[in-house]
Amino acid sequence: MIELVSESKCVECNLCVSVCPTNVFDRGEHGIPVIARQSDCQTCFMCELYCPADALYVAADAEGPTAVSEALLDEQGLLGGYREKVGWGKGRKPVAEHPYMYELAKRTAIG
């Protein structure tokens, strides 16, 4: 479930507002998106994936809100963590290039 929009990292592009399939965000008065309907979040991670500034955090728990601290998330590298793991963003390695994916493809190949 979406938990946090970092006001200090957000670049006010509002891509999260545009890509959210359940309309969780509203455009904020000062350009920073606001989590307006958190309970509507489907934990699809689209907002976190598309955020070019790694300013969002989506918790894996889809059942309810999780108490989070921006300082702790930042310290643990969890802001934009899903985007980083998928390999989106400048200088990141796409997951498809990870050696594990090659080994997985070999093990699951037919024929």
Side-chain angles (χ1 to χ4, degrees), residues 61-80:
D61 185 0
E63 298 303 318
T66 304
V68 297
S69 149
E70 182 173 348
L72 187 60
L73 293 173
D74 198 26
E75 180 183 306
Q76 295 178 344
L78 294 175
L79 279 169

Side-chain angles (χ1 to χ4, degrees), residues 29-42:
E29 187 175 313
H30 301 289
I32 306 288
V34 175
I35 301 170
R37 290 162 290 282
Q38 187 179 28
S39 62
D40 289 349
C41 179
Q42 296 179 338

Side-chain angles (χ1 to χ4, degrees), residues 5 7 10-20 23-37:
V5 176
E7 292 186 17
C10 180
V11 294
E12 302 173 19
C13 67
N14 282 289
L15 279 173
C16 55
V17 177
S18 301
V19 300
C20 179
N23 197 28
V24 167
F25 300 95
D26 281 343
R27 293 177 194 274
E29 187 175 313
H30 301 289
I32 306 288
V34 175
I35 301 170
R37 290 162 290 282

Side-chain angles (χ1 to χ4, degrees), residues 38-102:
Q38 187 179 28
S39 62
D40 289 349
C41 179
Q42 296 179 338
T43 316
C44 68
F45 292 88
M46 292 293 284
C47 57
E48 189 175 319
L49 190 59
Y50 277 87
C51 177
D54 293 336
L56 300 176
Y57 175 70
V58 177
D61 185 0
E63 298 303 318
T66 304
V68 297
S69 149
E70 182 173 348
L72 187 60
L73 293 173
D74 198 26
E75 180 183 306
Q76 295 178 344
L78 294 175
L79 279 169
Y82 180 73
R83 179 179 162 86
E84 188 268 333
K85 296 292 183 280
V86 171
W88 281 28
K90 192 174 186 173
R92 292 179 175 158
K93 187 176 184 175
V95 72
E97 292 181 15
H98 197 280
Y100 176 77
M101 294 305 289
Y102 175 72

